[in-house]
């Protein structure tokens, strides 16, 4: 059945470079490129990553944030477990859950300088349902 496992077309040079550099995904190179262009990590010393698994944004962000200050706060939250990353705190939970939000506020202790998000609603193919789910997620 097609679509099962890793497609060989996905195993391009960036896949191998990511493994060689210890990155969690091939998208890390795009994340580095985006930060070079827009410098959104700038002088951040407090960063929140929503839907953080598998931790690619956390990995890049922790390197940039920790190079600026020694007192960084890089926190990721996702419903899936994110393996430990030096300089980061990962929380398993749904960002829509008030208890998770309250826990994040306690951990951060301040407003984050940067909020990264790779959230996407689960889609069904039914336009109206997908629109409602996406709108709920945005709210």
């Amino acid at each position: 059945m097609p679509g099962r496992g890793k497609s060989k077309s996905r195993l391009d040079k960036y896949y191998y470079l990511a493994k060689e550099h210890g990155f969690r995904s091939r998208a890390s190179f795009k994340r580095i490129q985006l930060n070079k262009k827009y410098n959104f990590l700038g002088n951040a010393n407090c960063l929140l990553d929503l839907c953080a698994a598998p931790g690619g944004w956390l990995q890049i962000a922790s390197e940039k944030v920790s190079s600026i200050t020694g007192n960084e706060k890089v926190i990721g939250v996702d419903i899936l477990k994110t393996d430990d990353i030096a300089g980061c705190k990962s929380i398993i939970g749904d960002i829509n859950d008030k208890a998770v939000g309250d826990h994040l506020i306690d951990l951060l202790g301040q407003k984050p300088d940067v909020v990264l998000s790779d959230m996407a609603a689960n889609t069904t193919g039914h336009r109206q349902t997908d629109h409602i789910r996406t709108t709920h997620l945005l709210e």
Side-chain angles (χ1 to χ4, degrees):
M1 182 179 266
R4 300 280 179 176
K6 291 216 186 237
S7 168
K8 288 193 183 248
S9 65
R10 300 290 293 180
L11 303 181
D12 62 10
K13 73 176 186 177
Y14 291 105
Y15 171 85
Y16 295 107
L17 278 172
K19 295 295 179 196
E20 184 179 310
H21 286 88
F23 291 138
R24 293 178 180 232
S25 77
R26 57 197 294 283
S28 296
F29 295 104
K30 181 55 77 176
R31 293 172 177 133
I32 292 167
Q33 182 183 29
L34 284 168
N35 189 57
K36 279 184 183 176
K37 183 173 183 176
Y38 297 107
N39 194 30
F40 53 86
L41 295 176
N43 294 324
N45 63 8
C46 185
L47 181 137
L48 176 60
D49 184 4
L50 305 174
C51 294
W57 269 123
L58 285 175
Q59 189 176 28
I60 299 302
S62 69
E63 292 173 11
K64 297 292 182 187
V65 172
S66 64
S67 69
I68 296 167
T69 68
N71 190 16
E72 77 277 353
K73 286 187 181 181
V74 179
I75 299 174
V77 62
D78 199 304
I79 58 174
L80 303 173
K81 183 180 182 330
T82 303
D83 291 335
D84 292 339
I85 298 172
C88 298
K89 171 82 174 157
S90 294
I91 299 168
I92 300 172
D94 186 341
I95 193 65
N96 294 310
D97 183 347
K98 184 178 178 339
V100 172
D102 291 343
H103 184 57
L104 284 172
I105 290 169
D106 290 342
L107 281 174
L108 290 168
Q110 67 187 68
K111 288 184 180 178
D113 299 312
V114 176
V115 177
L116 301 173
S117 174
D118 197 14
M119 289 192 289
N122 291 331
T123 57
T124 64
H126 183 257
R127 288 185 75 174
Q128 291 84 0
T129 300
D130 294 343
H131 175 73
I132 291 167
R133 287 180 174 186
T134 301
T135 302
H136 175 72
L137 186 61
L138 290 170
E139 290 173 354

